[in-house]
Amino acid sequence: MSDPLPPITRRTALRAGLTAGAALAITTPTVASAARRSPLLRTGGKTVAIFGGGMAGLSAAHELAERGYQVTVYEPAYLGGKARSLGVAGTAAGGRQDLPGEHGFRFFPGCYRNVPDTMSRIPFPGNPNGVLDNLVRVEGTIAGFQDLPPIFLPVELGGLRQLTPEVLQNNLIGTLGFVPELPAHELAFFAKQMLVWFTSSTERRFGQWEYVTWEQIMRAEGKSPAYRKYLVNALTRITVAAKPQTSSARTIGTIGEALVLAGSGVVPEFSGGVDRILNRPTNAAWIDPWVEHLRALGVRFVLGQGASALHLRGGRIASVTVTGTASASTVTADHYVCAMPVERAAPLLSGAILDADPRLDGIRRLHTDWMVGIQYFLRRPTEIPEGHIAALGSPWALTALRQAPMWVGDFAATYGDGSVVECLSVDISDWDTPGIRYGRTAKECTAQEIATEVWAQLQAWLNTGTGWLREEDIHSWHLDPGITWSGGAIHNATPLLVNTVGSYDNRPDAHCAIPNLFFGGDHVRSHIDLATMEGANESGRAVANAILDAADDPAPRAPILPLVSLPVFDAAKAIDADRFRAGLPHLLDG
């Protein structure tokens, strides 16, 4: 049973005002110089040690190197982090490359603004806009339902000249009308609740919706199985890998609004559409050229080494101990950036660090979940239409992508032993629900059982009337190597941050009370408010700007590009802000 929505009190209204103000202050404009800071907060110097070579660390290194800083990146595993790709070792033959494996396929919605800006500044042979030109626009998606024929759907609304509240509701109803066994009045209710979100004020978003779940704001209790299974649960799991029963409604609403606006075609800043993917493996299309470009800018990379201890002296970080493949050593710099995933950053927060900035203790209260990829290498094409594939309502919340048809070159001639013509890349977003083949969760299965179960679910959701997926076509499969087994237990080296109810309060900013310590990562506060490449990239830009501030550096700040909202909703938001401050519910939320 869903919990009732919390009452709006003077305390929540005040808290919302403070939090919303802080959220709006995330935006850092491009300016010629920075405001002067207190002498106690100035650090000076241009040497920067970045611990973590994922999206946040590389983004911070990029911005700082362009401004003349001496940057060293320490990374214990893989440059690119969860955005990387890797070859499946030992699968190459006849001069070809290893078969391509990835943590999961990359997804670049048009609401991303910071990542594309960075990509446009990474040179790539033959591309006028750098690696940005390696993105391919996706026109449609396949929606699969258990034991029903799959449906091909366009991912963009198209033909809209404006997006008014009425147009928004009508288009949502029209777009989601394919959901089977969904009562019409419940579909209309869902569209109305989305309008509630679009017209909610910043104060209500941070003061009320942050503290309720998406399931609660969508009033799932008492609705039909189709409403709960597809509209509330499945759409949430496949788009953001989050559980609507625990995730902050503000987080889900933020990305939901951005995706709708990207698909509407009425926001110039979201010109990339809803869905884009890379036209080759991620490292080849993006990460490797990026690292090469950063090296050309003077960035130094130290692989196989990661931070294991921060040493505080005189209110500042004096040094950092790094350990890894070589013996432990000590790193000193003017500025230190903790750009590691939240589960690796939290153990570094010793008592002395928390005494210097107690707010950092919130990092240890953040939660992670699992979203991991598996690839099936096939001897025959599946004939599934190009685009993302969503197995709606599948126990393991599966989404997939046929990579070969949208990649440049001849797949069989480029990868493996020449017999593989297609790679079906699948993301597993739910590791805690029993499957249909073994009746166990993914965490209770072996690697072979995971591969068998995922294929069984894909067949049950996609094969009715199509015969797209044939077991005899499987050449081999590859599960992300971050999943390992030891001592009878399963482990995941690359979990994903999930924004639970109220978790915004625990997320750090790029800067903290320790003047030469900075934080980057998808757990750092950002406009997109979701564990994404975009959020991590934005945090890297915020880190660079905070270092420029700390150094009193007049260099232009890195632009931080926020999400876009439409002015047509401003009047309704103003009314809602007044109602929220008066302790009243949203006008439409009855």
Side-chain angles (χ1 to χ4, degrees):
M1 178 177 292
S2 299
D3 296 329
L5 298 181
I8 303 168
T9 65
R10 177 175 174 81
R11 180 185 296 271
T12 59
L14 289 173
R15 177 179 61 190
L18 293 172
T19 309
L24 292 173
I26 291 174
T27 303
T28 305
T30 304
V31 292
S33 62
R36 294 283 176 175
R37 289 162 57 96
S38 163
L40 293 176
L41 297 179
R42 292 167 60 187
T43 60
K46 285 202 168 188
T47 61
V48 183
I50 297 177
F51 302 97
M55 181 57 52
L58 295 180
S59 299
H62 194 156
E63 301 297 340
L64 289 167
E66 285 187 340
R67 290 157 178 80
Y69 283 72
Q70 301 168 39
V71 180
T72 303
V73 176
Y74 298 84
E75 169 53 47
Y78 306 95
L79 293 174
K82 290 188 285 289
R84 78 190 191 281
S85 62
L86 65 159
V88 182
T91 59
R96 301 175 186 85
Q97 302 173 36
D98 284 330
L99 290 169
E102 302 195 50
H103 179 77
F105 52 79
R106 304 281 77 79
F107 169 46
F108 297 81
C111 57
Y112 282 12
R113 302 183 65 201
N114 295 288
V115 164
D117 175 74
T118 296
M119 296 175 81
S120 71
R121 291 184 281 128
I122 303 170
F124 192 89
N127 287 2
N129 300 303
V131 302
L132 181 63
D133 288 340
N134 289 335
L135 289 179
V136 179
R137 194 158 177 162
V138 178
E139 303 296 338
T141 189
I142 302 298
F145 302 91
Q146 187 174 17
D147 300 326
L148 292 173
I151 303 170
F152 179 80
L153 302 166
V155 294
E156 298 175 18
L157 299 178
L160 297 183
R161 296 184 178 180
Q162 58 179 345
L163 193 66
T164 65
E166 295 77 13
V167 171
L168 171 66
Q169 276 190 283
N170 292 337
N171 273 275
L172 285 173
I173 291 171
T175 300
L176 297 172
F178 67 91
V179 175
E181 301 178 357
L182 178 66
H185 69 279
E186 290 186 354
L187 175 55
F189 179 82
F190 180 88
K192 190 268 290 183
Q193 289 303 95
M194 285 297 297
L195 186 58
V196 168
W197 168 263
F198 269 75
T199 54
S200 286
S201 61
T202 301
E203 292 84 355
R204 189 180 301 280
R205 293 184 180 194
F206 281 92
Q208 185 177 8
W209 302 143
E210 171 64 21
Y211 301 98
V212 299
T213 68
W214 186 244
E215 184 179 70
Q216 286 175 310
I217 194 177
M218 285 299 158
R219 309 294 176 111
E221 182 183 356
K223 298 292 193 300
S224 68
Y227 183 92
R228 299 194 306 270
K229 182 177 182 178
Y230 298 121
L231 292 190
V232 176
N233 192 68
L235 287 181
T236 305
R237 295 310 305 258
I238 67 171
T239 54
V240 297
K243 297 175 181 176
Q245 302 85 3
T246 57
S247 294
S248 157
R250 188 182 64 81
T251 296
I252 307 305
T254 297
I255 188 62
E257 176 181 358
L259 291 174
V260 169
L261 292 180
S264 71
V266 300
V267 179
E269 295 88 344
F270 293 170
S271 60
V274 173
D275 191 355
R276 291 172 295 184
I277 66 167
L278 291 167
N279 63 4
R280 45 173 61 84
T282 308
N283 271 37
W286 179 20
I287 303 301
D288 291 345
W290 197 4
V291 172
E292 181 181 354
H293 179 59
L294 294 182
R295 284 197 171 105
L297 291 175
V299 176
R300 177 172 169 257
F301 294 95
V302 179
L303 301 182
Q305 297 284 303
S308 57
L310 307 178
H311 305 290
L312 191 71
R313 187 167 61 245
R316 300 169 182 268
I317 301 298
S319 63
V320 174
T321 298
V322 296
T323 56
T325 54
S327 58
S329 60
T330 299
V331 171
T332 59
D334 297 314
H335 313 275
Y336 300 87
V337 180
C338 180
M340 296 173 285
V342 63
E343 71 277 1
R344 287 176 49 206
L348 297 179
L349 303 177
S350 65
I353 300 293
L354 296 180
D355 287 343
D357 190 344
R359 187 173 170 271
L360 294 177
D361 190 49
I363 294 176
R364 304 198 294 190
R365 294 193 290 272
L366 296 173
H367 298 277
T368 59
D369 206 338
W370 292 21
M371 182 178 183
V372 175
I374 183 172
Q375 288 81 42
Y376 295 88
F377 303 108
L378 308 176
R379 297 186 183 91
R380 286 198 297 175
T382 64
E383 300 176 0
I384 300 174
E386 292 181 12
H388 278 107
I389 303 159
L392 294 172
S394 55
W396 289 4
L398 303 178
T399 52
L401 179 72
R402 289 180 67 199
Q403 291 178 314
M406 304 192 75
W407 281 2
V408 296
D410 184 316
F411 192 94
T414 306
Y415 306 104
D417 60 7
S419 67
V420 175
V421 301
E422 182 167 319
C423 173
L424 184 66
S425 185
V426 185
D427 270 337
I428 307 169
S429 298
D430 188 332
W431 286 71
D432 300 302
T433 298
I436 63 174
R437 178 72 178 266
Y438 299 107
R440 299 198 298 273
T441 70
K443 291 178 180 176
E444 297 170 327
C445 291
T446 66
Q448 178 61 62
E449 288 171 340
I450 289 173
T452 302
E453 175 70 47
V454 169
W455 191 259
Q457 290 186 33
L458 289 174
Q459 285 186 313
W461 263 256
L462 297 174
N463 264 14
T464 301
T466 67
W468 282 334
L469 301 179
R470 301 171 290 263
E471 194 164 348
E472 62 270 20
D473 293 343
I474 300 176
H475 170 278
S476 55
W477 51 267
H478 174 256
L479 181 65
D480 184 273
I483 298 294
T484 58
W485 287 259
S486 64
I490 189 172
H491 307 277
N492 182 3
T494 55
L496 186 74
L497 175 81
V498 290
N499 292 339
T500 53
V501 166
S503 61
Y504 189 83
D505 296 340
N506 294 323
R507 293 168 62 189
D509 294 301
H511 56 81
C512 69
I514 301 171
N516 64 339
L517 177 63
F518 308 87
F519 289 87
D522 55 19
H523 58 289
V524 174
R525 290 182 173 184
S526 67
H527 288 94
I528 202 163
D529 192 49
L530 193 67
T532 57
M533 298 179 291
E534 176 75 352
N537 180 282
E538 180 183 326
S539 78
R541 292 163 180 252
V543 162
N545 290 342
I547 289 175
L548 294 175
D549 288 346
D552 265 348
D553 192 322
R557 275 23 184 188
I560 292 182
L561 307 172
L563 294 170
V564 177
S565 59
L566 292 181
V568 69
F569 297 106
D570 288 350
K573 290 178 180 178
I575 293 172
D576 185 60
D578 290 339
R579 290 181 62 85
F580 180 81
R581 286 189 288 266
L584 298 173
H586 190 285
L587 195 62
L588 299 178
D589 193 32

Short mmCIF file of all heavy atoms in Angstrom, two decimals, residues 533-559:
data_model
loop_
_atom_site.label_atom_id
_atom_site.label_comp_id
_atom_site.label_asym_id
_atom_site.label_seq_id
_atom_site.Cartn_x
_atom_site.Cartn_y
_atom_site.Cartn_z
N MET A 533 25.79 9.80 -17.61
CA MET A 533 26.98 10.44 -18.15
C MET A 533 26.83 11.96 -18.09
O MET A 533 27.80 12.68 -17.82
CB MET A 533 27.20 10.01 -19.60
CG MET A 533 27.44 8.52 -19.79
SD MET A 533 27.66 8.09 -21.53
CE MET A 533 26.02 8.38 -22.20
N GLU A 534 25.64 12.45 -18.33
CA GLU A 534 25.39 13.88 -18.33
C GLU A 534 25.63 14.49 -16.96
O GLU A 534 26.28 15.53 -16.81
CB GLU A 534 23.96 14.17 -18.80
CG GLU A 534 23.53 15.62 -18.75
CD GLU A 534 24.12 16.48 -19.87
OE1 GLU A 534 24.99 15.99 -20.61
OE2 GLU A 534 23.71 17.65 -19.99
N GLY A 535 25.09 13.84 -15.92
CA GLY A 535 25.29 14.36 -14.57
C GLY A 535 26.76 14.32 -14.17
O GLY A 535 27.27 15.26 -13.54
N ALA A 536 27.46 13.24 -14.51
CA ALA A 536 28.88 13.15 -14.17
C ALA A 536 29.69 14.20 -14.92
O ALA A 536 30.61 14.81 -14.37
CB ALA A 536 29.39 11.74 -14.49
N ASN A 537 29.36 14.41 -16.21
CA ASN A 537 30.06 15.43 -16.99
C ASN A 537 29.84 16.81 -16.40
O ASN A 537 30.78 17.60 -16.26
CB ASN A 537 29.59 15.37 -18.44
CG ASN A 537 30.27 16.39 -19.33
OD1 ASN A 537 29.93 17.56 -19.32
ND2 ASN A 537 31.25 15.94 -20.11
N GLU A 538 28.59 17.10 -16.02
CA GLU A 538 28.31 18.40 -15.41
C GLU A 538 29.11 18.58 -14.13
O GLU A 538 29.63 19.67 -13.84
CB GLU A 538 26.82 18.53 -15.14
CG GLU A 538 26.44 19.87 -14.50
CD GLU A 538 24.98 19.98 -14.16
OE1 GLU A 538 24.14 19.43 -14.88
OE2 GLU A 538 24.67 20.65 -13.15
N SER A 539 29.22 17.51 -13.35
CA SER A 539 29.97 17.62 -12.09
C SER A 539 31.44 17.91 -12.36
O SER A 539 32.09 18.65 -11.61
CB SER A 539 29.82 16.34 -11.27
OG SER A 539 30.65 15.29 -11.76
N GLY A 540 32.00 17.33 -13.43
CA GLY A 540 33.38 17.62 -13.78
C GLY A 540 33.59 19.08 -14.13
O GLY A 540 34.61 19.69 -13.78
N ARG A 541 32.62 19.66 -14.83
CA ARG A 541 32.67 21.09 -15.14
C ARG A 541 32.58 21.92 -13.86
O ARG A 541 33.29 22.93 -13.70
CB ARG A 541 31.54 21.46 -16.08
CG ARG A 541 31.67 20.86 -17.47
CD ARG A 541 30.35 20.90 -18.24
NE ARG A 541 30.52 20.32 -19.57
CZ ARG A 541 30.54 21.02 -20.70
NH1 ARG A 541 30.34 22.32 -20.68
NH2 ARG A 541 30.72 20.43 -21.86
N ALA A 542 31.70 21.51 -12.95
CA ALA A 542 31.56 22.23 -11.68
C ALA A 542 32.84 22.14 -10.86
O ALA A 542 33.23 23.11 -10.18
CB ALA A 542 30.38 21.67 -10.90
N VAL A 543 33.51 20.99 -10.90
CA VAL A 543 34.80 20.84 -10.22
C VAL A 543 35.81 21.84 -10.79
O VAL A 543 36.52 22.54 -10.04
CB VAL A 543 35.33 19.40 -10.36
CG1 VAL A 543 36.82 19.33 -10.06
CG2 VAL A 543 34.57 18.46 -9.44
N ALA A 544 35.91 21.89 -12.11
CA ALA A 544 36.85 22.81 -12.74
C ALA A 544 36.57 24.25 -12.32
O ALA A 544 37.50 25.01 -11.98
CB ALA A 544 36.79 22.67 -14.26
N ASN A 545 35.31 24.63 -12.30
CA ASN A 545 34.96 26.01 -11.93
C ASN A 545 35.28 26.28 -10.46
O ASN A 545 35.72 27.38 -10.10
CB ASN A 545 33.48 26.26 -12.21
CG ASN A 545 33.18 26.33 -13.69
OD1 ASN A 545 34.08 26.50 -14.51
ND2 ASN A 545 31.92 26.16 -14.05
N ALA A 546 35.05 25.29 -9.60
CA ALA A 546 35.35 25.47 -8.18
C ALA A 546 36.86 25.62 -7.96
O ALA A 546 37.29 26.39 -7.09
CB ALA A 546 34.82 24.28 -7.38
N ILE A 547 37.65 24.89 -8.74
CA ILE A 547 39.11 25.03 -8.63
C ILE A 547 39.54 26.41 -9.12
O ILE A 547 40.40 27.07 -8.52
CB ILE A 547 39.81 23.90 -9.40
CG1 ILE A 547 39.61 22.57 -8.65
CG2 ILE A 547 41.30 24.20 -9.58
CD1 ILE A 547 40.17 21.36 -9.38
N LEU A 548 38.95 26.88 -10.21
CA LEU A 548 39.26 28.23 -10.70
C LEU A 548 38.91 29.27 -9.64
O LEU A 548 39.65 30.24 -9.43
CB LEU A 548 38.48 28.51 -11.98
CG LEU A 548 38.84 27.67 -13.22
CD1 LEU A 548 37.89 27.98 -14.37
CD2 LEU A 548 40.28 27.90 -13.64
N ASP A 549 37.77 29.07 -8.96
CA ASP A 549 37.39 29.99 -7.88
C ASP A 549 38.41 29.94 -6.75
O ASP A 549 38.84 30.99 -6.24
CB ASP A 549 36.01 29.62 -7.34
CG ASP A 549 34.88 29.94 -8.29
OD1 ASP A 549 35.10 30.68 -9.26
OD2 ASP A 549 33.76 29.42 -8.05
N ALA A 550 38.79 28.74 -6.35
CA ALA A 550 39.71 28.58 -5.22
C ALA A 550 41.07 29.19 -5.53
O ALA A 550 41.77 29.68 -4.64
CB ALA A 550 39.86 27.10 -4.87
N ALA A 551 41.46 29.13 -6.80
CA ALA A 551 42.76 29.67 -7.21
C ALA A 551 42.69 31.14 -7.59
O ALA A 551 43.71 31.72 -8.00
CB ALA A 551 43.30 28.85 -8.38
N ASP A 552 41.52 31.76 -7.45
CA ASP A 552 41.34 33.15 -7.91
C ASP A 552 41.80 33.32 -9.35
O ASP A 552 42.43 34.32 -9.71
CB ASP A 552 42.10 34.13 -7.00
CG ASP A 552 41.21 34.71 -5.92
OD1 ASP A 552 39.99 34.55 -6.01
OD2 ASP A 552 41.74 35.31 -4.98
N ASP A 553 41.47 32.36 -10.16
CA ASP A 553 41.90 32.35 -11.56
C ASP A 553 40.86 33.09 -12.40
O ASP A 553 39.67 32.76 -12.36
CB ASP A 553 42.02 30.90 -12.03
CG ASP A 553 42.73 30.76 -13.36
OD1 ASP A 553 42.52 31.62 -14.24
OD2 ASP A 553 43.47 29.78 -13.54
N PRO A 554 41.27 34.09 -13.17
CA PRO A 554 40.31 34.86 -13.97
C PRO A 554 39.90 34.17 -15.27
O PRO A 554 39.13 34.76 -16.05
CB PRO A 554 41.08 36.15 -14.28
CG PRO A 554 42.52 35.72 -14.31
CD PRO A 554 42.64 34.63 -13.26
N ALA A 555 40.38 32.94 -15.52
CA ALA A 555 40.04 32.26 -16.77
C ALA A 555 38.53 32.08 -16.91
O ALA A 555 37.81 31.97 -15.91
CB ALA A 555 40.72 30.90 -16.82
N PRO A 556 38.01 32.07 -18.13
CA PRO A 556 36.57 31.82 -18.33
C PRO A 556 36.14 30.51 -17.69
O PRO A 556 36.85 29.51 -17.76
CB PRO A 556 36.42 31.78 -19.85
CG PRO A 556 37.60 32.53 -20.37
CD PRO A 556 38.72 32.28 -19.40
N ARG A 557 34.99 30.53 -17.08
CA ARG A 557 34.47 29.32 -16.43
C ARG A 557 33.92 28.35 -17.47
O ARG A 557 33.48 28.74 -18.56
CB ARG A 557 33.37 29.67 -15.44
CG ARG A 557 33.81 30.07 -14.02
CD ARG A 557 35.17 30.57 -13.91
NE ARG A 557 35.58 30.84 -12.53
CZ ARG A 557 36.71 31.44 -12.22
NH1 ARG A 557 37.53 31.83 -13.19
NH2 ARG A 557 37.05 31.67 -10.97
N ALA A 558 33.94 27.09 -17.12
CA ALA A 558 33.34 26.07 -17.99
C ALA A 558 31.84 26.28 -18.01
O ALA A 558 31.21 26.42 -16.95
CB ALA A 558 33.68 24.68 -17.46
N PRO A 559 31.23 26.31 -19.18
CA PRO A 559 29.78 26.48 -19.22
C PRO A 559 29.07 25.27 -18.64
O PRO A 559 29.43 24.13 -18.93
CB PRO A 559 29.48 26.64 -20.71
CG PRO A 559 30.62 25.95 -21.40
CD PRO A 559 31.81 26.15 -20.53
#
